[in-house]
Amino acid sequence: MTSEPPPHPAARSYDGEGITVSYDAHRCLHAAECVRGLPDVFQVGRRPWIMLEGASADEVADVIRCCPSGALQYHRTDGLPDEVPDVPTHVSLHGDGVFHVRGDLEVATPEGPRQETRVMLCGCGRTGNTPFCDHSGACADHVRARPGAGPGPCGAPDG
């Protein structure tokens, strides 16, 4: 059973056959899981940069679930379920001070609570996108010194 897509005020939506993808540029930390996973769909130099005709709804959903920041999300319009949260919830603190969280989440934001399945939360308290990390605080120096802090959820470097 599908639900209504969650409200994402800063997100831009892209409609494809059986799926709608939203992208919140303010949350993207450029792990590039999308670009590596489906380069025909996600091409940074192209406008629009997301062209869902390049893959099936299932393929797109699989790659979006690899996005550690939650900047990419999807809503199934073909009757299949939206993303199922990880159980149990998983929280890890990475070397750059960013908390990577996956699960059935309610995240308190200045705009009110949001239901999420994947987030990267600021650990230094200096983000300009509370509570999400934007690498504008203490972690920014760490990221510049060591891009790709570790393995991401789908095997590629996080960051």
Side-chain angles (χ1 to χ4, degrees), residues 83-149:
E83 183 171 356
V84 176
D86 288 2
V87 175
T89 296
H90 181 260
V91 180
S92 60
L93 176 60
H94 286 233
D96 59 0
V98 178
F99 288 94
H100 294 231
V101 187
R102 297 175 76 86
D104 189 8
L105 313 171
E106 182 177 288
V107 178
T109 72
E111 294 80 31
R114 287 175 52 162
Q115 292 302 123
E116 299 286 347
T117 56
R118 296 167 279 109
V119 295
M120 292 172 70
L121 300 175
C122 177
C124 73
R126 294 188 178 165
T127 182
N129 191 24
T130 302
F132 308 105
C133 182
D134 65 2
H135 286 161
S136 64
C139 63
D141 291 333
H142 179 84
V143 171
R144 281 190 288 272
R146 281 189 45 219

Side-chain angles (χ1 to χ4, degrees), residues 41-83:
V41 173
F42 301 97
Q43 289 187 17
V44 178
R46 177 182 66 198
R47 295 292 177 255
W49 80 281
I50 299 174
M51 305 238 350
L52 297 173
E53 299 79 22
S56 71
D58 288 338
E59 291 171 314
V60 171
D62 287 345
V63 166
I64 288 175
R65 282 191 295 273
C66 293
C67 174
S69 68
L72 284 168
Q73 307 221 358
Y74 68 89
H75 171 64
R76 296 299 293 253
T77 59
D78 56 5
L80 292 174
D82 292 333
E83 183 171 356

